[in-house]
Amino acid sequence: AQSVTQLDSQVPVFEEAPVELRCNYSSSVSVYLFWYVQYPNQGLQLLLKYLSGSTLVKGINGFEAEFNKSQTSFHLRKPSVHISDTAEYFCAVSINDMRFGAGTRLTVKP
Amino acid sequence: DGGITQSPKYLFRKEGQNVTLSCEQNLNHDAMYWYRQDPGQGLRLIYYSQIVNDFQKGDIAEGYSVSREKKESFPLTVTSAQKNPTAFYLCASSSRQGFTSPLHFGNGTRLTVT
């Protein structure tokens, strides 16, 4: 079965700085990959997805992620964060079911 | 606007009582899911349903039950057999059966059992 590991539970960063949230997965077959964002006391919203094709995927709110098959990674990046990006971010991998990582709490400080 | 409605937002129950969480979608999606979220553990799948009148257990189905009598509705019952029911419960749906399409989530129900 597939699994997903988010390498950082918390990432503090200053406003307008770049950020990378790391995600590694394990699977013996091809997978579909997703990043979701969760604001306090809300459900999850899709940021971006990788199903096939170009390994660089652009999503909403200026986020992008790069699929690296050899390193089994799908890291999320944003070149300049805003206070409003403060939220919890979840990486997910899907084959026969969808497995979520434990989440990374991004805190953007002024 | 189409979406998923979970109600209530907050729910309080005494230990030993069964409680049912509501989930309704107007997205015309075939598949629906229930996840449980605990701090630091991500989301864990409780039950899912690919079509009406059919559902499958997820990783943590013990102490929970579901029904899927209508395409739009997928209620979750937390029974008294669930040892640690206090959690944030999220309902989701997707347009295709299987897990290859993105999930659309409701805003969750926070259940507290004392």
Side-chain angles (χ1 to χ4, degrees):
Chain A
Q2 73 273 25
S3 66
V4 58
T5 302
Q6 291 184 242
L7 296 156
D8 306 293
S9 60
Q10 297 187 62
V11 173
V13 64
F14 286 106
E15 194 174 17
E16 297 183 7
V19 71
E20 178 180 81
L21 305 184
R22 297 180 294 166
C23 173
N24 284 92
Y25 69 92
S26 65
S27 175
S28 58
V29 298
S30 296
V31 298
Y32 301 106
L33 296 157
F34 306 84
W35 274 100
Y36 291 86
V37 61
Q38 184 180 34
Y39 299 102
N41 291 314
Q42 293 187 24
L44 280 68
Q45 302 172 31
L46 181 69
L47 271 180
L48 48 80
K49 61 183 184 285
Y50 173 78
L51 304 181
S52 64
S54 172
T55 57
L56 184 61
V57 180
K58 293 193 182 297
I60 63 171
N61 300 341
F63 284 94
E64 63 181 32
E66 185 157 20
F67 170 58
N68 188 319
K69 189 175 182 179
S70 62
Q71 297 188 9
T72 60
S73 67
F74 191 55
H75 300 334
L76 181 71
R77 301 186 183 103
K78 187 169 182 177
S80 175
V81 294
H82 303 290
I83 298 286
S84 60
D85 291 323
T86 294
E88 187 138 23
Y89 292 79
F90 292 93
C91 181
V93 58
S94 175
I95 311 173
N96 298 315
D97 59 15
M98 190 169 291
R99 298 277 169 171
F100 287 84
T104 297
R105 184 170 299 278
L106 174 65
T107 303
V108 181
K109 300 179 286 187
Chain B
D1 281 342
I4 297 179
T5 301
Q6 290 189 245
S7 60
K9 190 171 179 64
Y10 298 96
L11 193 52
F12 298 89
R13 280 295 183 270
K14 294 288 187 187
E15 201 172 306
Q17 294 179 333
N18 291 355
V19 59
T20 298
L21 282 60
S22 170
C23 177
E24 303 278 332
Q25 55 103 354
N26 60 4
L27 299 165
N28 198 32
H29 283 174
D30 287 319
M32 296 187 74
Y33 313 83
W34 275 105
Y35 285 90
R36 170 181 171 139
Q37 184 177 18
D38 296 283
Q41 294 194 45
L43 279 69
R44 292 181 290 167
L45 183 63
I46 305 172
Y47 268 98
Y48 63 100
S49 169
Q50 309 276 31
I51 56 173
V52 174
N53 291 323
D54 189 43
F55 47 82
Q56 285 78 40
K57 293 181 180 180
D59 295 326
I60 57 166
E62 185 175 348
Y64 300 97
S65 65
V66 294
S67 62
R68 186 89 186 274
E69 297 176 2
K70 299 186 299 182
K71 187 175 185 178
E72 305 78 27
S73 179
F74 191 41
L76 173 74
T77 297
V78 184
T79 75
S80 56
Q82 167 50 233
K83 290 183 170 42
N84 186 18
T86 294
F88 190 50
Y89 291 88
L90 288 162
C91 180
S93 69
S94 65
S95 57
R96 289 199 300 273
Q97 298 177 12
F99 288 82
T100 58
S101 55
L103 302 183
H104 298 255
F105 284 86
N107 280 330
T109 292
R110 189 168 297 280
L111 173 65
T112 302
V113 176
T114 57

